[in-house]
Amino acid sequence: MKHRIDPKIDCVFKALLGSRKNRNLLAHFLNAILAGDLAAPITTVEILNPYNEKEFLDDKLSIVDVKARDERKQIYQIEIQMISHSSLLARILYTWADIYSKQLLSGDDYGLLKPTYSIWLLAENLIATDNDYIHACHLLRDTKGRTLLNHGGIWLLELNKFKASVVKNEQERWLQFFNKAEQFDDDELPDWMTTLEMKQAMTTLRQFSEKERNYHAYQARQNYLREQKTIQREMDEERREKLHALLREQAALKEKEAALERENQALQEKEAAIKEKETAMKEKEAAIKEKETAMKEKEAAMKEKEAAMKEKETALQRENQAMLEKEFALREKETALAEIKRIKARRTR
C-alpha cells in the first residue's frame, strides 16, 4: 500500500461495512459478532444509510454509523467509537432505544416491532474491569437471567483489550483486523488475513491509500478525530481537576466539620465536667450543711445534757442542803434532848 490506513477511522469504517458493494462483508461481520445470538445466520442485508463516497468525503457532518436490515426485517446498527467519555454508555442506550422505537409509524401496532441489534466497536476502554471484558452482550433480562423479550440488545467490543496471538474464529478475525490491519501490506498478509473477506476488506483500505482524494479525506478525518480526542482529554482532565478540587474541598469541609464536631465534643465534655464539678460542689455543700446541722444538733444535745446535768447538780445541791438542814435539825434536837436529860438528871438528884 502507498499509505497505512487505520480501518477504525470513521470514513474508512463506513466505506468498509456501509457500502453496497461490501454488503457481503457486513453480513459476514454481523454473523461473526452475533454468532450464537441469532436464530439463524444472516444471508442478505439491506443497508439503510449506504456510504456515498462523494457525499461523505465532502461533508464533515456525515452520519458515520451503519444501519441495515436483514431478510427477516431485523435491524442492525454498527458504530465505531474512537473516544470514550462519561456519557457514552447513556448515548449507546439512547441510540438503541431510538432506532427500536422508530420502527413504528403512526397507527402501527407493537406486534410489528422487530429485534434491533446495536454493535459498538470501541477503540478506548469503556468498562473499567479486567481484560476479559472484551465482548459484552447486554440483553433484556432480569437478575435471574430470564429473557423479558428476545428483541436484540447492545454488543460492546473493546478493541484495546483484545490481545489474542492466534485467531480462533471469525469474530476474533474481525477484531484482529480492526486492531492490526493498519500494519499490513495487502501483498504480504499473515495467514489469518488470507480469507476472501479479509482480502476484500484490505481492498477497501487500499482505495483510501491509493486515491489521493480519499487519502486526503482520510487524513482530514484522522486529524479531526485527533483534535476531538485532544479536546476530549483536555475536557476530561479539566473535569478530573474540578472533581479533584471538589473532592479536596469536600475533604476540607469534612475535616472542618470533624474539627467542629471534636470541638463541640470537647465543649460538651467540658460542660459535663463543669456540671459534674458543680454537682460535686453542691453535694459537698450539702454534706457540709448536713455536718453543720449534725454539729448544731449535737451542740444542742450537749447543751440540753449540760442543762440537765446542771439541774441534776442543783437538785443534788438542794438535796444535800436539805440533808444538812435535816442533820442540823437532828443535832439541835439531840442537843435539846441531851439538855433535857441533864436537867432531869439534876432534878432527880
Side-chain angles (χ1 to χ4, degrees):
M1 284 190 186
K2 187 177 179 180
H3 305 287
R4 300 293 182 181
I5 302 297
D6 184 357
K8 296 188 292 296
I9 300 300
D10 51 14
C11 59
V12 183
F13 171 80
K14 186 67 179 283
L16 187 68
L17 295 179
S19 63
R20 287 191 174 94
K21 65 181 180 180
N22 285 342
R23 282 181 298 176
N24 65 309
L25 278 186
L26 178 58
H28 185 271
F29 173 82
L30 292 173
N31 284 324
I33 300 304
L34 301 175
D37 295 303
L38 296 173
I42 300 167
T43 57
T44 61
V45 289
E46 173 193 2
I47 299 175
L48 303 178
N49 57 340
Y51 170 77
N52 182 303
E53 180 180 327
K54 185 177 186 307
E55 291 179 0
F56 193 96
L57 298 180
D58 290 341
D59 185 3
K60 290 184 178 180
L61 299 179
S62 295
I63 298 173
V64 295
D65 68 339
V66 177
K67 296 184 181 70
R69 183 165 46 220
D70 68 9
E71 65 273 17
R72 292 182 295 277
K73 305 300 181 184
Q74 299 180 127
I75 298 173
Y76 304 89
Q77 181 239 354
I78 309 97
E79 183 156 347
I80 189 80
Q81 181 67 30
M82 297 294 289
I83 305 170
S84 294
H85 53 82
S86 59
S87 300
L88 183 56
L89 284 174
R91 177 192 163 197
I92 290 171
L93 182 58
Y94 176 85
T95 301
W96 179 89
D98 184 54
I99 295 171
Y100 182 76
S101 63
K102 282 184 178 178
Q103 296 181 65
L104 297 183
L105 302 176
S106 178
D108 287 348
D109 65 82
Y110 296 114
L112 298 176
L113 288 169
K114 298 294 181 181
T116 299
Y117 299 84
S118 184
I119 301 171
W120 288 74
L121 296 167
L122 307 172
E124 293 184 342
N125 295 348
L126 178 62
I127 308 299
T129 58
D130 57 38
N131 288 334
D132 291 336
Y133 198 99
I134 298 169
H135 178 191
C137 175
H138 301 273
L139 303 175
L140 299 173
R141 292 175 178 166
D142 65 11
T143 55
K144 295 182 178 180
R146 296 171 296 197
T147 301
L148 176 66
L149 183 64
N150 191 14
H151 264 203
I154 297 170
W155 279 254
L156 303 179
L157 292 93
E158 296 182 288
L159 299 173
N160 193 43
K161 292 181 180 179
F162 183 70
K163 308 292 184 183
S165 57
V166 178
V167 173
K168 300 175 183 177
N169 52 49
E170 294 304 312
Q171 182 183 119
E172 290 187 356
R173 197 184 309 280
W174 276 105
L175 294 175
Q176 196 82 311
F177 168 79
F178 280 106
N179 271 340
K180 294 190 174 183
E182 183 182 8
Q183 305 170 15
F184 302 141
D185 192 314
D186 56 352
D187 293 329
E188 297 179 2
L189 295 176
D191 291 341
W192 63 269
M193 282 282 290
T194 57
T195 64
L196 292 176
E197 290 80 15
M198 291 296 100
K199 289 180 178 179
Q200 183 178 345
M202 289 300 293
T203 299
T204 301
L205 268 59
R206 188 191 309 117
Q207 291 173 352
F208 275 88
S209 173
E210 295 178 352
K211 288 184 180 180
E212 289 300 321
R213 183 172 180 272
N214 289 30
Y215 182 65
H216 290 323
Y218 167 83
Q219 284 185 312
R221 293 301 298 174
Q222 194 175 43
N223 290 334
Y224 172 76
L225 290 171
R226 285 171 179 160
E227 290 174 1
Q228 291 300 307
K229 197 169 187 177
T230 301
I231 292 170
Q232 183 65 47
R233 285 184 176 171
E234 287 176 354
M235 291 175 62
D236 289 343
E237 287 176 5
E238 184 179 354
R239 192 179 297 111
R240 280 194 295 269
E241 287 177 2
K242 287 183 178 179
L243 178 60
H244 290 158
L246 180 61
L247 291 174
R248 287 194 298 270
E249 189 176 332
Q250 288 178 344
L253 183 60
K254 285 182 179 178
E255 181 59 31
K256 190 174 181 180
E257 289 177 352
L260 286 173
E261 190 172 344
R262 288 193 297 269
E263 189 175 334
N264 288 335
Q265 182 68 25
L267 285 173
Q268 289 176 359
E269 290 175 357
K270 190 174 181 180
E271 288 177 357
I274 290 171
K275 286 182 179 178
E276 288 179 2
K277 192 173 181 180
E278 288 176 350
T279 301
M281 289 294 290
K282 288 179 180 178
E283 291 176 353
K284 190 174 181 180
E285 289 175 357
I288 291 171
K289 286 182 180 179
E290 288 179 359
K291 192 173 181 180
E292 289 177 350
T293 302
M295 289 293 291
K296 288 179 180 178
E297 290 177 351
K298 189 175 181 180
E299 288 177 358
M302 289 293 291
K303 288 179 180 179
E304 288 179 0
K305 190 174 181 180
E306 288 176 356
M309 289 292 290
K310 287 179 179 180
E311 287 180 1
K312 190 173 182 182
E313 287 178 0
T314 303
L316 285 171
Q317 287 176 357
R318 284 196 297 268
E319 189 175 328
N320 289 335
Q321 183 66 30
M323 287 293 291
L324 290 172
E325 290 176 353
K326 190 174 181 181
E327 287 178 0
F328 183 75
L330 284 173
R331 286 176 183 171
E332 286 182 345
K333 190 175 181 181
E334 287 177 354
T335 301
L337 287 172
E339 185 65 29
I340 292 171
K341 285 181 178 179
R342 282 193 301 271
I343 293 170
K344 285 181 176 181
R346 278 195 306 267
R347 285 179 180 175
T348 303
R349 283 188 254 158

